[in-house]
Amino acid sequence: MASNEASLNEPKYGGDLERQTTQALDHETKEFDYSKRSQWLRAAVLGANDGLVSTASLMMGVGAVKQDIKAMILTGFAGLVAGACSMAIGEFVSVYSQLDIELAQLRREKVQREISTGQRVAAEPDHDELGEKEDLPNPLQAAAASALAFSVGAMVPLLAASFIKDYRVRLWVVVAAVSFALAVFGWLGAVLGKARTVKSAARVLVGGWLAMAITFGLTKLIGSRGL
């Protein structure tokens, strides 16, 4: 009788164990996908922050010696284009180097399989094997994302200054808009990186203020000396 009860309970126990294992695997998969997504978004946030700080600092530097709105806008636009191109090219070269390394690793794995199995395999990885490597880096995608993120950040000070003719008001509006965007980017980066939001936002904000203040002060000093 006891053996019959045990045999009846075995499928239930096995089913529960299989269900728990499946749920655990699903949970791990979701966590892994979230991790990959977080890293990608965090990189985009950092790129936007770079565009924001560098373009705003350039505009503040020019604004220290020239009150003309046209000069400030042209400087900001030049900074946006130059920065986006620089970020895209740098990211493309870096990610392409990583892609070459991973493809070389695939070739080494194919050679090792050939040695271990004694069968001849193709010298280059085929499409099926490349399809299995879903995490292979994409240089063009990385370059486009980097340029886009930089441009989004750089648009903040440009838009803030575009419609204000008064020199002093324009400077303060740029500082206010950039400060708000810095706090948002710092908070978002902390959320994606699972760090303390207040400290991260404050750190990004103070760093942006320092960059703008140093650029403004040094440009003002050089401009006043007539250099």
Side-chain angles (χ1 to χ4, degrees):
M1 185 69 176
S3 61
N4 291 336
E5 292 180 355
S7 62
L8 290 174
N9 290 332
E10 283 178 1
K12 182 179 180 182
Y13 176 79
D16 291 341
L17 181 60
E18 184 179 355
R19 186 163 51 253
Q20 291 174 2
T21 304
T22 303
Q23 290 175 352
L25 290 174
D26 291 342
H27 178 70
E28 289 179 1
T29 302
K30 290 178 181 178
E31 287 294 327
F32 177 74
D33 291 340
Y34 174 79
S35 176
K36 289 174 63 177
R37 231 174 7 248
S38 295
Q39 291 175 5
W40 181 258
L41 290 173
R42 193 161 183 262
V45 170
L46 292 176
N49 186 74
D50 288 341
L52 175 67
V53 174
S54 60
T55 305
S57 298
L58 279 171
M59 293 175 65
M60 293 296 292
V62 171
V65 294
K66 289 185 175 291
Q67 299 186 8
D68 184 16
I69 185 173
K70 185 177 180 179
M72 181 180 281
I73 297 300
L74 285 176
T75 300
F77 181 75
L80 185 157
V81 175
C85 291
S86 176
M87 293 282 288
I89 293 171
E91 194 72 14
F92 180 84
V93 172
S94 176
V95 174
Y96 216 108
S97 298
Q98 182 183 352
L99 177 62
D100 288 340
I101 293 172
E102 298 208 18
L103 289 176
Q105 178 62 30
L106 282 176
R107 295 186 190 101
R108 286 192 292 270
E109 291 174 359
K110 290 177 74 68
V111 172
Q112 290 295 328
R113 286 201 304 273
E114 180 180 347
I115 294 174
S116 62
T117 61
Q119 296 178 355
R120 182 70 179 174
V121 294
E124 295 292 330
D126 56 28
H127 292 289
D128 293 335
E129 288 180 327
L130 289 177
E132 293 175 0
K133 287 279 187 178
E134 295 181 355
D135 57 343
L136 279 176
N138 187 325
L140 289 176
Q141 186 181 39
S146 181
L148 179 61
F150 187 95
S151 301
V152 168
M155 287 299 296
V156 174
L158 272 173
L159 292 175
S162 294
F163 306 102
I164 301 176
K165 295 183 178 181
D166 186 84
Y167 168 69
R168 294 185 181 277
V169 175
R170 185 166 66 248
L171 288 180
W172 283 111
V173 168
V174 169
V175 171
V178 170
S179 298
F180 177 76
L182 284 170
V184 171
F185 286 152
W187 172 83
L188 186 56
V191 170
L192 295 174
K194 297 182 180 180
R196 294 184 177 180
T197 55
V198 176
K199 287 184 65 175
S200 178
R203 186 164 52 244
V204 172
L205 183 59
V206 172
W209 283 346
L210 285 174
M212 289 188 291
I214 292 172
T215 307
F216 183 90
L218 288 178
T219 309
K220 190 78 172 177
L221 178 63
I222 294 173
S224 65
R225 298 271 178 113
L227 298 178

